[in-house]
Amino acid sequence: MMLRTLLPLSLLLLSAGAAQAQSSRVYCCNDASGQRMCGDTLPQACFDKAYKEVTPSGRTLREVEAPMTPEQRAAREAEIRAQRERAAREAEAKRRDRVLVDSYASVDEIDKRRDREVANVDGDLKRAQSRESSLLADRAKLEKLKPASGPIPRDLVEDLDTIGSELSATRSVIASKQRDIEILRARFDADRTRYIELTTKPNGRR
């Protein structure tokens, strides 16, 4: 037989003991006004509250937190995502540290590799700069061919346009190579600093 669901705990336990109730647990919470509510099934007043499952003798079996509001749930999910992202970043940082220490035997090796990679890009940069100079010289020659007055010959206009387009593309290459060199230097500077930090620690290689 189901017990009344909105009785004070003391009366409920007395009733349960006297009648040898079939239920082996009781559900209790404080309602909105702070009053203790219990029942052999979860009272409606407890649906959105934290509650306890207790034995008829009063021993706590389980405590259940109140359901989260949509805002609390969203905040909790955001925190879980943030924790996972932090863990992923930390794991990736540790992986990069291992690779860095395993890749070089000394700081000098880092410097040599930096110089090689910068030199490769610098070679491309110098070739692009040389091409730019050649195009500027060609354009200057064509400019001298413009008539003092009257229309510019169509072939001359086309040649100037072609040089202008190639000059623009070449300058884009130059800017790109300059950025690549800056990025390389910054990356190797960071690797150098981190390598020294890792290898001078008590558990490091030095």
Side-chain angles (χ1 to χ4, degrees):
M1 159 176 132
M2 183 175 293
L3 298 174
R4 293 171 59 94
T5 60
L6 300 180
L7 292 175
L9 178 60
S10 59
L11 291 179
L12 180 62
L13 296 181
L14 287 172
S15 299
Q20 296 182 343
Q22 295 178 354
S23 175
S24 62
R25 64 186 60 199
V26 178
Y27 303 85
C28 297
C29 75
N30 293 328
D31 66 10
S33 65
Q35 182 179 357
R36 187 74 164 170
M37 308 302 296
C38 296
D40 59 352
T41 60
L42 186 65
Q44 186 173 2
C46 299
F47 285 178
D48 60 348
K49 305 289 187 302
Y51 66 90
K52 290 183 178 181
E53 295 181 15
V54 299
T55 64
S57 63
R59 182 172 62 87
T60 299
L61 297 173
R62 186 167 70 112
E63 295 187 16
V64 179
E65 294 182 356
M68 290 187 290
T69 65
E71 293 77 11
Q72 290 172 328
R73 191 177 301 109
R76 177 60 177 163
E77 291 173 354
E79 176 59 24
I80 291 173
R81 286 196 300 271
Q83 290 174 354
R84 289 173 178 169
E85 290 169 0
R86 283 195 298 271
R89 287 194 299 269
E90 290 171 1
E92 177 60 18
K94 289 180 181 178
R95 185 194 67 80
R96 288 197 303 267
D97 285 346
R98 286 196 301 271
V99 171
L100 179 62
V101 172
D102 291 342
S103 297
Y104 301 101
S106 66
V107 173
D108 186 55
E109 284 192 6
I110 297 177
D111 293 341
K112 288 179 179 178
R113 181 171 176 180
R114 175 202 61 206
D115 293 342
R116 286 196 303 270
E117 295 196 18
V118 168
N120 288 336
V121 180
D122 191 56
D124 294 337
L125 173 61
K126 284 182 168 56
R127 284 188 287 274
Q129 290 172 329
S130 176
R131 181 56 181 162
E132 179 190 33
S133 297
S134 177
L135 289 168
L136 289 172
D138 290 343
R139 187 174 67 179
K141 291 177 182 177
L142 291 176
E143 290 287 347
K144 292 179 180 179
L145 298 178
K146 287 182 178 180
S149 60
I152 302 174
R154 181 176 178 180
D155 290 348
L156 181 56
V157 171
E158 290 176 353
D159 289 344
L160 285 168
D161 288 344
T162 299
I163 287 178
S165 296
E166 188 173 351
L167 188 59
S168 178
T170 300
R171 285 173 171 168
S172 293
V173 171
I174 290 171
S176 175
K177 297 303 177 183
Q178 289 172 334
R179 286 194 300 272
D180 289 345
I181 289 174
E182 291 175 1
I183 292 170
L184 277 173
R185 290 190 182 280
R187 192 191 84 198
F188 277 100
D189 284 348
D191 284 351
R192 193 180 196 277
T193 299
R194 184 59 178 160
Y195 182 87
I196 292 172
E197 291 174 354
L198 293 169
T199 56
T200 54
K201 288 182 177 180
N203 295 328
R205 294 172 58 183
R206 290 185 176 182

